[in-house]
Structures are given as structure tokens and as C-alpha cells.
Amino acid sequence: MDIRFEEVGYTYQKGTPFQSRALYDINLSIKDASYTALVGHTGSGKSTVLQHLNALKKPTEGTITIGDRLITPTTDNKGLKSLRKKVGIVFQFPEAQLFEETIAKDIAFGPKNFGVSEEEAIERARVLLPQVGLDESFMERSPFDLSGGQMRRVAIAGVLAMEPEVLVLDEPTAGLDPQGRKEIMDMFYDLYKTQGLTIVLVTHQMDDVAHYADHMVILEQGTVKREGSPRELFRESEWLSSMQLGVPSTVAFALKLEDKFGWTFDRLPMSTDELALEIKKNLGGNVGERV
Amino acid sequence: MMDKLIFGRYIPGDSLIHRLDPRTKLMSAIFFIIIIFLANNLWTYLALAVFVGLAVSLSQVSLKFFINGIKPLLWLILFTVILQVLFTSGQTIFFSWGPIILSKEGLINGGFIFMRFVLIIFMSTLLTLTTMPLSLSDAIEYLLRPFGKIGVPVHEIALMLSIALRFVPTLMDETEKIMNAQRARGIDFGEGNIYEQMKSIVPLLIPLFVSSFNRAEELATAMEARGYKGGEGRTKYRQLIWKRRDTLAMSSFVVLVAVLIVFRT
């Protein structure tokens, strides 16, 4: 499902003495089955953009096209439910949204709201639990008995259970240990690859952007500053640091090598494997199989 | 929804009223609410209105904020005023239909009640608009201190008050976040019949309570770790200092009361 922003602006508390403009002039398109990373300094408007993706907020200027629905400042709040089923959002610290007595019920809550029968919703929970790294024995436990990381997984399963076409992730791994982070991020990537899910990832982890995303949007002070592939954008490391953003560790390392040994990298390495290949190329390709 | 709420909001500023001691402002607001009942004719209400008008203009806060402060209470005010107007009998009756009577006295009483409401709301809005919530709780602690002698746990009350005030915005943010998360999972808040609306509150309330419990536990641990042992023997970082302008502000009430007593009938 495509999502397109045209000249979108958003002002908080419009018409009151406290009004503040969070977004202006936003033009961007998120293509079907793409993996978009939305990055920007804290307070750049990422979260506000995110809430527009399933019409939790409506633009105060401009239009947003989500699939075949058009959202304008005057769109009625009714009938947005079908949209919310298609665009699932995993909010920051989603464990705060758990409330049912059992984990199975909590995962089934979303689908049930969208008209899925109780049995089928519970069945979806049964299938999803192993996917997020928990086993079936968790079904009947209370969500409040779990550790923070496990609660996070249940919350994520609750969003996946709605079987959205677009999955929006707002720093899904904040506060998780490195192992848990990698597992969760790999699971999302797997969904993107195998089920053709459209993913929008909001993050500060440039390594994740480099590793998973195929498109990158940089927001600054409420508007889109740059858009393009991560490989392209990470080339401008100085501009990025002026935006208070960094580059992934592989790129940082590559840039240091360029600096120190005068090497050139035709393809900026987005992963450790690519970095190794590039180093090999620069060394003349004679290092053998050990690299 | 919640961003329209003006009541209890602080507008930073550096006017004379802003710089007054919070105790002065709190006592003034309470005192004003008491003496407003001294007024019983046009002149006395006029004197009160002038007094409030003066205070509002001294605060340099736009009148818009005060008018916004009235809006949520508008229905209550209208309801009371209309009841008063329609059910007061008097000597000069313009119109009567069964128990409904429109009299001169009723109209005048209605007008006075309206004035009372507006003046009290303006005064209390002035207090919250120009005083930081934390200084307000300091003032409450100070003014409650005499009750400590009869066993009122003043320090605890003040502590709870300042913690509560501190967490109002945090809880509001949290509410908003959870609401959004549940809306994204297909809940429509404020739609459907009463039963459905009540049911849709559950996915909001339970997470809010749970996170408040967690927050309370974390806060208590953090306070203990920083050596908090209760009110005994604590010193204060924010000292309240009574200045000459506070004495002046309080003495303006003497003038006001004198005017009210002279002119009331």
C-alpha cells in the first residue's frame, strides 16, 4: 500500500494561544513493500509524521493518500477504522498498552476490534507468539508478570495480529538488550522480505538504518530535509553531523580508512560483510580466503 | 481535548503579580472568595470588578486566557443564573406562568450570581496563571503549618501535593500515548452508546493504573536512595520571602473591605 504526503503541515493546538507548528511542507511517498527509515533529531517531527500514517492525527494543511483513502484537514473521524487495520503502529515502549488478563486475550484484542472472531483471533495469537520469540506456555499468563522485554514482544505480537499491510515502528528496540534487539529487528526484516510488508521505521540507530532500510527520509525542524537511499545519504557524513545525526559504524570505519590510507570506497559499506569486501578490494584482492 | 484545558495552567511572566509571594496570592484568592459575599448591591459589585480588573491588568496576562478559563464552567453558570432568574419571586413581577416567575428581583439576583461566578473564576485563574504549581504547594505547606500542632501531617500532604502537581502533565502525556496506541488497535474513544463508551475506557484505565503503580514504586525507591527519610529535619531549597510588596498587596484588601462595608446595603 502506497502512502503519499502532499504539502502536509500540522499545527498543535491550532487556534489557541499555545499553538505550535510541528510540521510544514512535507512531501514524501512511501512505496508499497518498501522499508523506509525515518530519522531526525529529537523533536524534528518524526512522531507527529508517524501519527499521520494511520490518521491518528489529521493534517492541518495538505493531503495524505493512504492506499485509496484521501485524508484532508476536513476528513471525518468516522470510518477511519478500516484504515487503522491496514496500518499497524508499534509505538515507543508499546508494553504500556497491555491490559487484558491473559496474553492471548491481549494479542487478540486488536483483531477482535476489527471484526475477527474470538477463536480466530486467539488462533492468531498462538501462531504469533513463537514468531516474536515466546512459546505457547505464555498464552494463559498475565502480561503483567512478564519482564520488560517479554512485554515488548507481546505488544508487538498484538499489532502483528491485526495483519497490517503497513507496519510502522517507533524505536521498537529502545531499551532492549543487544540480543533481543537483533532478534526483533530480524523478525521485522523477515516479514518485510517474505510477506511483502511495507515497513516504516523511526530510529536513532544508524546501524539499523544501514542494515535494513532501502529508503531513508531525514527530518529536521518539522520538514523533510533529504530523501534517498541510505548508501547515498551516508556519504555526506559532515552534513549529517551538522543535523546532529551520525553515520553507521561501518561507514565511520570506512571513512577513517579513506582518511588514513587514502583508500576509496566505490560502494559505501552498509554491513560488516560489505566492509570486509571493500577492504579486500582496496588491498588488491590478494588476501585470500581469510577475510 | 485536553489541550483546550486552561485551568491550572501557568503562564510565565515577570509582572508585579508574578513576583508576589505565592502565600500572598493564595491568601488573596481565598480571602477574595470570602469577601465577595459582602457585596450586595451594584456599587459593591462594581468595586469588586474594578479590583479584579486592576489585578488582571497588573498581571499582564492576556484577557483571552481568563475568558477561556470561564468556558468550561459556562454551562454551570448559565444553569444557576437561569434557575435564579426563573424561580425568584419579588414585588415587581413582569411575567408568571405556573411556578415560573420573571421578576425584577430575580433578574437582579441572576446578574449578581453571574458576577460572583465570573469574579471568583477570574481571581482563581489569576492565581494559577501567575503562580508556578510548585510554589503554590510551598505556599499551601506554609499556610497549613499551624495545623501540624493538632496532628495534621502537613509535610506529607505538601509532598503528595507537589508530587501530584509534578505528575499531572506526565500523566496527561501518558494518557494521550496510550489512547493513541489503543486507537491504532481499533478502539474508538467517545463513539457508540454509553455501554460501548464505558467499555472502551478499560483499555485506557488499566494501563494508566499499572504505569502509575510502577512509577510510584520507582519514585519511592529513587527518593529513598537519595536519602529521603520524611519531613523531620529537612531544609528547604525554595525559600519563601515576604517582601514589602506583599504587605502592600494584602493591605489593598483592607481598603477593599472598607469600601464594601461602607457601600453595602
Side-chain angles (χ1 to χ4, degrees), chain A residues 61-78:
Chain A
E61 302 147 43
T63 59
I64 301 172
T65 322
I66 307 173
D68 47 14
R69 281 291 295 268
L70 187 73
I71 309 289
T72 66
T74 52
T75 301
D76 193 26
N77 269 331
K78 291 211 170 82

Side-chain angles (χ1 to χ4, degrees), chain A residues 13 16-18 51 54 56 81 84 91 96-99 106 109-110 113-114 144 162, chain B residues 3-4 6 9 11 65 178 180-188 202-203 206-207 210:
Chain A
Q13 309 192 21
T16 73
F18 301 102
Q51 290 176 41
N54 71 354
L56 283 175
K81 228 173 161 173
R84 304 219 168 113
F91 283 91
Q97 73 192 29
L98 304 176
F99 74 99
D106 204 285
F109 175 72
N113 282 330
F114 294 115
F144 299 112
M162 303 180 334
Chain B
D3 24 272
K4 297 262 154 56
I6 184 88
R9 218 155 163 174
I11 313 277
F65 289 105
I178 297 173
N180 274 337
Q182 306 298 25
R183 278 160 80 200
R185 293 213 284 168
I187 278 275
D188 289 317
V202 175
I206 293 179
V210 171

